[in-house]
């Protein structure tokens, strides 16, 4: 995990939480806020190392819980479980394919709220399990599924801007031999 | 199989989660308020952006529209001044009568304006953050209102920010009464629609007949009846508008009635609110 990667993950987590607490459009249009942290976790778990997964789970989860009535730390645990699961099985995921990114985004974005609600039902603050909650859960999963490929594109672009590119291969080969022949 | 670093990472997160989840309520609230401080640049940026947008919008409004609106506002102001004079006279009379009857004098509300700066990212809670805190005299359980009606109550207070739990959240229950019938009940969440709450534990509402021992108001609840805070419970002052009744149904095998109440305040479009320091 290099310094650029650490900074970009922290910045992305901060922006994701800032978007969730300040933008109210999805709540007005679809009745539920879309969370970008699970989609970000899918990207980090598929492309980065385990310390990055832990860092995102801790920073993102704490930031999100600080603005919420959730008990502090419950989103951290949910994000970490999702991140570990995806990171553990990442060798069998075709991470460069869009449909795989969408499916993993759907999986991650449905798993994180499910884990949080499951934890809350066993706490002092149980959440009533209603049809409306199921609808909100689907909106969150679908929103996360659509956001995941966009996050992959965004980070690919950032990587192109801020990291050294491989030198393009020249058509000239220094080891090649010129063979003289008679016309 | 999991490798050693993965075990260590899992252990770190599990330990951190256990520590955080076992913190006391006050420690958790302090930690939350501190963590929200990391987002102060965002709040400043949002405010400056909105301010710039307002300035830009103001500069393109035609002068004719402004003059027309000014005339309209002057007329409304004069009308309100007449109403205020009448109400001040009525209040003086009321204070005198209360004094003669030996009732305590009602103190006027002290209103503290506040702006909504963040919303709960979790869909299953209904809370917002406002930009006033203990430095501004805000305390836990103070009611939060708008000119349209009740919004909620302050649940967590930081130095310069506070968390407000909104009507319709399961942690915000309000003692309320129906204005027309004076029936008392409790406002609880209604799961299917965030703009509606349930007024429950209302008496059965059957008309009073001679010889009966159970005395109710004798009036039937009807759609359109106004619901106000009752002042019971000591958190919310009496007489703040909550909403109007949509429909009424019998609950718990006819033991009591429940009414669905449409809120007067649009909680999804909150921007400016007032904290009531009683």
């Amino acid at each position: 995990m290099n310094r650029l990667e650490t900074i970009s993950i922290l910045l992305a987590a901060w922006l994701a939480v800032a978007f969730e607490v300040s933008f109210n459009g999805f709540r007005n249009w679809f009745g539920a806020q879309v969370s970008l942290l699970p989609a970000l976790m899918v990207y980090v778990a598929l492309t980065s190392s385990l310390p990055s997964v832990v860092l995102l789970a801790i920073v993102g989860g704490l930031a999100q819980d600080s603005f919420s009535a959730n008990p502090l730390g419950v989103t951290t645990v949910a994000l970490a479980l999702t991140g570990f699961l995806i990171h553990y099985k990442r060798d069998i995921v075709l991470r460069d394919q869009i449909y795989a990114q969408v499916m993993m985004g759907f999986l991650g974005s449905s798993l994180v709220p499910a884990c949080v609600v499951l934890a809350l039902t066993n706490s002092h603050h149980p959440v009533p399990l209603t049809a409306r909650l199921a609808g909100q859960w689907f909106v969150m999963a679908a929103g996360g599924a659509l956001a995941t490929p966009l996050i992959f594109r965004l980070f690919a672009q950032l990587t192109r801007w801020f990291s050294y590119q491989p030198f393009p291969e020249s058509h000239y080969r220094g080891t090649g031999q010129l063979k003289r022949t008679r016309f | 199989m999991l490798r050693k670093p993965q075990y260590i990472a899992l252990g770190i997160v599990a330990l951190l989660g256990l520590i955080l989840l076992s913190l006391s309520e006050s420690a958790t609230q302090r930690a939350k308020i501190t963590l929200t401080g990391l987002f102060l640049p965002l709040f400043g940026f949002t405010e400056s952006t909105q301010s710039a947008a307002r300035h830009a919008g103001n500069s393109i409004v035609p002068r004719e529209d402004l003059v027309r609106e000014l005339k309209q506002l002057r007329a409304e102001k004069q009308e309100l001044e007449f109403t205020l004079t009448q109400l001040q006279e009525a209040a003086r009379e009321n204070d005198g009568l209360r004094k003669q009857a030996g009732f305590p004098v009602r103190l006027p509300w002290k209103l503290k304006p506040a702006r909504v700066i963040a919303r709960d990212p979790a869909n299953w809670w209904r809370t917002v953050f406002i930009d006033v805190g203990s430095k501004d005299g805000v305390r836990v359980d103070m009611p939060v209102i708008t000119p349209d009606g009740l919004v909620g109550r302050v649940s967590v207070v930081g130095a310069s920010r506070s968390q407000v739990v909104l009507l319709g959240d399961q942690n915000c229950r309000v003692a309320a009464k129906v204005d027309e019938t004076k029936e008392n009940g409790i406002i609880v969440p209604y799961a299917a629609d965030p703009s509606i709450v349930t007024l429950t534990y209302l008496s059965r509402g059957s008309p009073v007949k001679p010889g009966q021992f159970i005395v109710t108001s004798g009036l039937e609840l009807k759609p359109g009846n106004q619901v106000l805070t009752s002042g019971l419970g000591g958190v919310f002052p009496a007489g703040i508008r909550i909403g109007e009744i949509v429909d009424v149904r019998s609950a718990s095998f006819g033991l009591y009635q429940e009414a669905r109440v449409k809120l007067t305040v649009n909680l999804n479009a909150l921007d400016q609110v007032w904290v009531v320091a009683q």
Side-chain angles (χ1 to χ4, degrees):
Chain A
M1 186 170 66
N2 59 30
R3 197 172 295 169
L4 175 68
E5 189 183 356
T6 309
I7 292 170
S8 60
I9 289 170
L10 288 175
L11 190 64
W14 189 90
L15 287 172
V17 176
F19 167 79
E20 288 175 40
V21 301
S22 58
F23 182 71
N24 210 27
F26 290 120
R27 218 186 293 262
N28 291 337
W29 297 332
F30 306 113
Q33 178 63 287
V34 173
S35 178
L36 296 178
L37 279 177
L40 191 60
M41 178 54 86
V42 169
Y43 169 78
V44 171
L46 286 178
T47 60
S48 193
S49 58
L50 203 57
S52 303
V53 173
V54 175
L55 182 73
L56 176 62
I58 292 174
V59 173
L62 287 180
Q64 183 157 4
D65 284 343
S66 67
F67 280 102
S68 171
N70 285 337
L72 195 63
V74 71
T75 308
T76 299
V77 174
L79 277 172
L81 283 175
T82 308
F84 283 136
L85 180 72
I86 295 171
H87 186 77
Y88 183 55
K89 294 288 182 188
R90 67 175 178 168
D91 292 338
I92 60 169
V93 178
L94 300 170
R95 72 192 80 160
D96 295 330
Q97 303 294 320
I98 288 184
Y99 69 88
Q101 294 168 3
V102 169
M103 290 315 293
M104 293 311 292
F106 190 88
L107 175 74
S109 300
S110 54
L111 206 54
V112 171
C115 287
V116 172
V117 170
L118 189 67
L120 289 173
T121 49
N122 294 304
S123 72
H124 297 297
H125 312 278
V127 175
L129 302 174
T130 58
R132 180 176 164 77
L133 184 68
Q136 288 175 330
W137 182 56
F138 180 76
V139 170
M140 292 172 81
L146 294 175
T148 306
L150 298 178
I151 287 175
F152 271 80
R153 299 287 174 281
L154 180 71
F155 274 89
Q157 189 67 44
L158 285 176
T159 309
R160 273 199 290 278
W161 284 343
F162 291 106
S163 62
Y164 292 110
Q165 297 297 309
F167 195 73
E169 193 176 346
S170 170
H171 292 293
Y172 175 75
R173 288 189 297 164
T175 56
Q177 289 183 345
L178 292 175
K179 192 174 181 181
R180 290 178 184 275
T181 55
R182 184 179 293 174
F183 288 103
Chain B
M1 285 296 290
L2 292 175
R3 293 190 302 275
K4 193 179 172 186
Q6 293 172 326
Y7 278 121
I8 294 172
L10 262 174
I12 289 171
V13 173
L15 189 66
L16 183 74
L18 277 176
I19 291 170
L20 289 172
L21 290 171
S22 59
L23 285 176
S24 66
E25 191 73 20
S26 60
T28 306
Q29 289 175 359
R30 277 201 302 274
K32 281 185 174 185
I33 289 290
T34 308
L35 283 169
T36 55
L38 296 172
F39 289 80
L40 281 177
L42 167 79
F43 303 144
F45 174 73
T46 310
E47 187 170 2
S48 56
T49 309
Q50 285 175 348
S51 172
R54 269 196 302 272
H55 280 299
N58 290 345
S59 62
I60 58 171
V61 176
R63 186 180 159 76
E64 286 175 15
D65 289 354
L66 291 173
V67 171
R68 191 171 57 245
E69 198 169 340
L70 187 64
K71 274 183 187 169
Q72 191 181 339
L73 287 172
R74 275 182 183 153
E76 278 179 22
K77 181 174 172 280
Q78 285 175 350
E79 199 175 326
L80 287 172
E81 278 174 352
F82 289 130
T83 313
L84 181 66
T85 311
Q86 285 177 328
L87 288 176
Q88 280 174 339
E89 182 53 36
R92 267 194 296 274
E93 191 181 27
N94 188 33
D95 285 345
L97 289 171
R98 287 178 78 90
K99 207 175 283 181
Q100 285 173 16
F103 292 163
V105 177
R106 275 188 185 165
L107 296 173
W109 296 344
K110 289 178 191 165
L111 296 176
K112 176 69 66 182
R115 205 171 56 82
V116 174
I117 52 175
R119 287 169 192 282
D120 198 323
N123 289 305
W124 37 89
W125 304 118
R126 309 192 73 192
T127 64
V128 293
F129 269 82
I130 55 175
D131 64 348
V132 291
S134 57
K135 280 196 299 193
D136 308 288
V138 175
R139 301 281 177 271
V140 172
D141 281 344
M142 280 184 171
V144 180
I145 61 172
T146 68
D148 293 331
L150 186 66
V151 169
R153 65 173 175 84
V154 176
S155 59
V156 179
V157 179
S160 59
R161 294 176 300 286
S162 304
Q163 193 176 27
V164 177
V165 57
L166 304 178
L167 274 175
D169 189 282
Q170 54 184 321
N171 294 317
C172 184
R173 300 191 172 213
V174 184
K177 67 178 178 189
V178 182
D179 193 25
E180 285 80 0
T181 65
K182 310 300 177 200
E183 296 277 358
N184 280 295
I186 297 174
I187 295 285
V188 295
Y190 178 70
D193 189 346
S195 65
I196 289 178
V197 290
T198 305
L199 177 61
T200 188
Y201 301 124
L202 294 163
S203 63
R204 284 184 298 177
S206 55
V208 181
K209 293 171 187 167
Q212 277 190 329
F213 293 103
I214 301 168
V215 178
T216 66
S217 66
L219 297 171
E220 294 287 345
L221 298 172
K222 288 175 189 164
N225 285 359
Q226 294 295 313
V227 178
L228 313 173
T229 53
S230 65
L232 301 175
V235 175
F236 300 97
I240 303 175
R241 280 176 64 194
I242 294 175
E244 63 177 38
I245 290 179
V246 178
D247 55 18
V248 185
R249 68 184 180 88
S250 182
S252 293
F253 305 103
L255 200 59
Y256 56 87
Q257 289 189 115
E258 282 184 348
R260 293 196 305 159
V261 178
K262 175 86 176 165
L263 295 173
T264 51
V265 180
N266 181 4
L267 296 175
N268 279 336
L270 284 179
D271 182 28
Q272 185 85 28
V273 294
W274 279 263
V275 181
V276 181
Q278 295 175 58

